[in-house]
Amino acid sequence: MPGPPASCSRRRGRRRPPEDRAAFLELLGEGLSLDDEPFLEAALDDRRIEVRHRASELLTRLPDSRLGRRMAERAARRFAVARGRLNVDPPLECDAAMERDGIRPKPPRGMGEQGWWLRQLVSRTPLAVWRDLLGHSPRELVRMKVVDWGREVMAGWVRATVIQEDPEWARELFASDPLADLLAVLPRGEQETLATDFVRGHGLDGQLIMVLGGVAAPWGQELSRAVFHKILEVSGTQPWNLGELTKLAGERVDPALHGLAERLSPEPPIQEVAALLRFRDDMLKELS
């Protein structure tokens, strides 16, 4: 028997007990559209802070929403390009209207209020607005000198890119600051291409591990080969530093590529990964 219409479900959501409303909003993430905007706009006035903030985040995924237009208007008053530099005038206060739209007034420990409000304003502004507002492409903006507030603006753009799932911005931001969260926005093949280039040109450190952790499994041949070579390279200089990398390789490389590792080198770290991949491949064949 068919369920109630979506509009009916939304109305029932308004009448749910306060403790259920935040969980109910989680269900709207799937198939979100502008048809959900009236319900989410009303949720901005909910008594529960978690309900208000989740509604704001969902509305941020709808660039044509009223919230998106309000944020665009705020950004227009705060940003301007002059002589090839991005000038920023951060908010002087977090007023009631900003707070209703999801701007949290109290910053985390160690961060100033203005920077915190600015970062959130940027993260809630539709990414398409920036080209029209400032007359520059994402590539140009990401590479542009930001006067005084560069860290906050970049962090806001990263958050906006993840929420709005914008591949163009993810590509440009990753080139500037390789963050694992940005990879998840890109198609699988592009994730692997960017990660492969990063592994080849970067030493083994926490950032490399985080980037690899952002690439969907199973990893294909080129990325796997690059990781195997990195394991071999580091095994000769810092063998004690290989634990996380070999663990990731054993878990994320396509098990069918065990032969690639076996043939590469007799070095123990490579052969240990190869043995784990062969075991996984055998198990998958048994279960198929």
Side-chain angles (χ1 to χ4, degrees), residues 145-246:
K145 168 69 175 178
V146 182
V147 180
D148 295 332
W149 301 94
R151 182 184 302 177
E152 291 78 10
V153 171
M154 292 294 287
W157 277 339
V158 168
R159 181 62 181 154
T161 297
V162 172
I163 293 174
Q164 297 174 42
E165 300 180 340
D166 189 302
E168 182 181 10
W169 276 89
R171 202 171 291 122
E172 300 305 334
L173 286 165
F174 187 87
S176 174
D177 187 7
L179 297 173
D181 287 348
L182 295 168
L183 287 179
V185 179
L186 297 170
R188 185 189 187 104
E190 193 170 356
Q191 289 181 27
E192 294 209 8
T193 298
L194 290 174
T196 299
D197 291 342
F198 189 78
V199 169
R200 287 172 176 164
H202 198 85
L204 177 56
D205 60 10
Q207 186 176 30
L208 184 141
I209 295 298
M210 285 190 289
V211 166
L212 286 174
V215 181
W219 296 345
Q221 183 165 315
E222 287 306 307
L223 177 56
S224 299
R225 190 189 303 275
V227 170
F228 293 155
H229 279 285
K230 184 62 66 177
I231 291 172
L232 189 58
E233 171 192 320
V234 177
S235 69
T237 57
Q238 299 177 325
W240 62 87
N241 199 26
L242 278 172
E244 287 187 271
L245 184 58
T246 55

Side-chain angles (χ1 to χ4, degrees), residues 26-178:
E26 295 297 326
L27 303 177
L28 294 184
E30 193 74 25
L32 185 69
S33 75
L34 275 176
D35 291 339
D36 298 311
E37 186 195 14
F39 175 79
L40 292 170
E41 185 73 24
L44 294 176
D45 296 312
D46 197 277
R47 296 189 304 275
R48 297 288 291 268
I49 189 170
E50 61 268 31
V51 173
R52 299 196 302 271
H53 288 159
R54 182 56 178 151
S56 174
E57 188 166 280
L58 289 170
L59 285 166
T60 301
R61 291 172 50 188
L62 299 171
D64 296 326
S65 67
R66 283 172 284 171
L67 182 141
R69 293 195 293 272
R70 292 192 296 270
M71 289 297 181
E73 290 169 2
R74 292 183 179 109
R77 298 193 295 268
R78 300 292 171 191
F79 292 84
V81 173
R83 284 180 264 185
R85 303 198 306 176
L86 182 57
N87 296 310
V88 183
D89 180 22
L92 296 175
E93 64 174 341
C94 181
D95 58 30
M98 289 172 62
E99 192 169 350
R100 179 182 184 271
D101 282 345
I103 306 296
R104 300 181 187 227
K106 186 176 180 180
R109 185 185 299 272
M111 187 172 187
E113 288 182 331
Q114 285 184 281
W116 174 235
W117 300 333
L118 176 65
R119 180 188 296 190
Q120 294 177 88
L121 188 157
V122 174
S123 73
R124 291 283 193 258
T125 299
L127 288 164
V129 162
W130 298 106
R131 190 190 301 265
D132 296 335
L133 176 61
L134 301 174
H136 291 271
S137 68
R139 170 170 292 197
E140 292 166 334
L141 289 171
V142 167
R143 288 160 177 73
M144 191 175 290
K145 168 69 175 178
V146 182
V147 180
D148 295 332
W149 301 94
R151 182 184 302 177
E152 291 78 10
V153 171
M154 292 294 287
W157 277 339
V158 168
R159 181 62 181 154
T161 297
V162 172
I163 293 174
Q164 297 174 42
E165 300 180 340
D166 189 302
E168 182 181 10
W169 276 89
R171 202 171 291 122
E172 300 305 334
L173 286 165
F174 187 87
S176 174
D177 187 7

